[in-house]
Amino acid sequence: MSRQHDPPPSFTVDPQTPSRRVRHQSSLEHVFNFTLASPKPTREQSTDAYALYNEILNDCEEAGLFLPSGDDADGGEKVYLHNLFRALVCFCPTHPGRINIVRMILHGLFCADKVSIEERSLGSILPLARTWRTATEHERQPIYRILETVAADFLLGFFVPLCAQASATLHVSGILSPPTAAATISPSQGTPHRLQGLQRTCLLRDGNRCVVTGHLDKEVFNRLQRRGQTIPGTFGVQTQAAHIIPHSLNSVRAGDALTRGKTFVWQILNMFDSGISTELEGPLIDSPANAFILATELHDEFGRLRCYFEEVVPGSYEFRKTRFATTLSPAADAKASRLTFVNHEPEETRWADLPSSRLLKLHAACCKMVEMAGAADYVDWAVGDLKRMEEGGTLAADGTSDVGMLLLTRGLAGWGGCVDGAWSDVGA
């Protein structure tokens, strides 16, 4: 959709003291079973949809509706509904994705049982959604309850699995010598070998350094020291190949079906940026374009959506932390305000792609959404519960467990995800 037909909304965030909260009801998986095979909205329809969406969120703000973080008494930051749904639209990385989010929410709130999947156009949705403007406070209560359910499902079905799976990547130790290109990442290799090959490739491409701090991989640093070589201004740190989109979200073996929870995450990613899944299908999830070398301290922060790379000009980035970022050692400080990814492979054998700007933009968008929504405590609470399940032997250490179903069995939410839709069909 062109910029002309998709005017970006203007939102402000001003959290307030809650006056009440609505109760959670059963999951609305039909809301998220969302295909976008509908007529392109007109400029007038898009403008009206954004205005109505903003009006509903303004009313949510006035009502002080929120989701608590874990137990009400745990002191965590509350997730205000207006902040969450504004964040989804404000930071969606594509213009078509923004109107798709608005259309999805309006359909779920007002006409999920009245407008068929095949007819989910704004032309069909808006006449029913406009009834909000004349609804009484009593008539709005069921809509508030639906909105709270959708918010909980978005957090528990998308952001929590995204963070939990990011920290479930199998650990692979550093390397000391570069492999050949043909032997680095092969679709026929098992997961441990593929990850080991990715670690080798990224270390070689990134100059054996953390791309943020500039410090050398510890094994490489120690080897140089044994040879009597020193590099001023750097020292050795433990490093890992950090996936931009988590390795554990995909199946890397031909014919393997994605679990229910993972399918839902891919649906939302595809809604944010249509067709993004095609870049990461199967073994492509472990391609150099989806990874780079980070100090271990930063690896978890990146995976938990607490830091990101903001592209300021094509090919040049600023490394930024959210307000929820953990205080780390000085060794985790960025080496410069501007970072550029460079391929350090020998020119004659250079083959690895640089980290994808498209994937980095998508990751940055998710970080900003969590920050603006004030959802870090909520996500951490749920991820922590999953970690305790892992320690108790319920959650597979390699990230293959279905996070959505685990959340369901633990009673964290009535999250159902999308069962019938195909994630490759979600997009505009």
Side-chain angles (χ1 to χ4, degrees):
M1 185 181 298
S2 66
R3 189 182 297 266
Q4 179 182 3
H5 293 290
D6 189 21
S10 176
F11 291 136
T12 59
V13 182
D14 184 21
Q16 62 185 51
T17 303
S19 59
R20 59 181 171 172
R21 50 176 283 240
V22 293
R23 302 303 303 173
H24 186 67
Q25 63 178 22
S26 60
S27 175
L28 300 178
E29 65 183 41
H30 60 279
V31 173
F32 293 118
N33 188 358
F34 189 69
T35 60
L36 303 176
S38 62
K40 182 178 179 179
T42 65
R43 182 175 183 178
E44 291 72 21
Q45 288 174 337
S46 296
T47 300
D48 194 15
Y50 280 131
L52 183 56
Y53 188 81
N54 198 14
E55 287 176 31
I56 295 170
L57 298 186
N58 286 341
D59 291 333
C60 285
E61 182 175 7
E62 184 176 350
L65 305 181
F66 66 89
L67 297 175
S69 174
D71 297 330
D72 290 338
D74 70 356
E77 183 168 348
K78 298 175 179 64
V79 182
Y80 289 88
L81 300 192
H82 62 278
N83 281 352
L84 173 61
F85 288 107
R86 284 171 179 166
L88 294 177
V89 172
C90 281
F91 296 121
C92 182
T94 67
H95 293 290
R98 292 179 179 179
I99 193 62
N100 291 336
I101 291 169
V102 170
R103 181 156 63 96
M104 180 189 73
I105 300 301
L106 293 181
H107 177 271
L109 294 182
F110 297 100
C111 44
D113 58 345
K114 298 173 183 149
V115 177
S116 68
I117 293 175
E118 293 77 15
E119 298 174 349
R120 277 193 279 192
S121 65
L122 280 181
S124 300
I125 295 170
L126 282 172
L128 295 170
R130 291 189 188 107
T131 59
W132 176 265
R133 290 169 173 155
T134 57
T136 66
E137 183 66 18
H138 177 73
E139 292 170 332
R140 290 182 174 185
Q141 292 306 308
I143 305 299
Y144 284 143
R145 289 193 292 271
I146 295 173
L147 196 62
E148 186 196 36
T149 298
V150 175
D153 279 4
F154 233 111
L155 290 171
L156 294 171
F158 177 69
F159 288 112
V160 169
L162 194 66
C163 292
Q165 299 288 359
S167 61
T169 302
L170 294 178
H171 177 73
V172 180
S173 60
I175 61 97
L176 298 178
S177 59
T180 62
T184 300
I185 302 175
S186 168
S188 63
Q189 290 179 317
T191 299
H193 290 93
R194 185 180 292 108
L195 290 175
Q196 192 172 45
L198 179 64
Q199 176 89 354
R200 293 183 181 127
T201 298
C202 289
L203 277 169
L204 181 61
R205 182 198 63 192
D206 298 339
N208 295 312
R209 296 173 181 269
C210 168
V211 299
V212 171
T213 67
H215 296 309
L216 282 168
D217 174 77
K218 190 172 184 178
E219 292 185 27
V220 174
F221 181 83
N222 290 342
R223 187 174 69 166
L224 291 175
Q225 275 196 325
R226 289 194 297 269
R227 293 177 176 178
Q229 297 174 279
T230 59
I231 301 179
T234 188
F235 50 87
V237 295
Q238 295 287 352
T239 66
Q240 289 181 266
H243 284 71
I244 303 172
I245 304 300
H247 154 88
S248 301
L249 280 177
N250 213 347
S251 169
V252 293
R253 291 182 295 182
D256 282 0
L258 292 177
T259 60
R260 189 179 182 185
K262 293 178 184 179
T263 298
F264 179 70
V265 175
W266 281 111
Q267 286 182 303
I268 299 302
L269 290 173
N270 268 325
M271 188 173 65
F272 288 163
D273 186 351
S274 176
I276 194 69
S277 60
T278 60
E279 289 197 10
L280 300 171
E281 288 179 320
L284 292 178
I285 196 79
D286 296 322
S287 67
N290 188 40
F292 47 80
I293 295 299
L294 280 182
T296 300
E297 270 194 282
L298 292 170
H299 181 274
D300 186 60
E301 291 291 288
F302 185 81
R304 297 285 282 270
L305 303 179
R306 295 169 182 160
C307 59
Y308 58 93
F309 293 84
E310 181 77 42
E311 190 169 29
V312 288
V313 296
S316 181
Y317 300 84
E318 287 185 0
F319 179 72
R320 296 180 178 173
K321 299 179 181 179
T322 73
R323 61 190 174 93
F324 299 103
T326 304
T327 301
L328 303 176
S329 72
D333 290 339
K335 62 182 176 181
S337 59
R338 290 281 182 94
L339 304 172
T340 302
F341 293 104
V342 177
N343 193 327
H344 294 272
E345 294 178 289
E347 188 171 354
E348 62 276 9
T349 58
R350 185 173 299 168
W351 72 277
D353 292 329
L354 292 174
S356 166
S357 60
R358 183 182 181 186
L359 298 178
L360 288 169
K361 185 176 182 181
L362 184 58
H363 177 272
C366 293
C367 291
K368 295 172 188 176
M369 290 173 184
V370 171
E371 180 176 31
M372 179 176 174
D377 288 339
Y378 190 101
V379 171
D380 284 348
W381 158 71
V383 171
D385 198 73
L386 289 172
K387 291 297 182 184
R388 287 186 288 274
M389 292 168 65
E390 178 182 333
E391 293 169 0
T394 309
L395 182 64
D398 63 357
T400 57
S401 297
D402 187 330
V403 175
M405 292 305 295
L406 286 169
L407 288 170
L408 177 62
T409 60
R410 294 288 286 185
L412 298 181
W415 130 238
C418 180
V419 180
D420 301 321
W423 51 264
S424 57
D425 294 333
V426 181

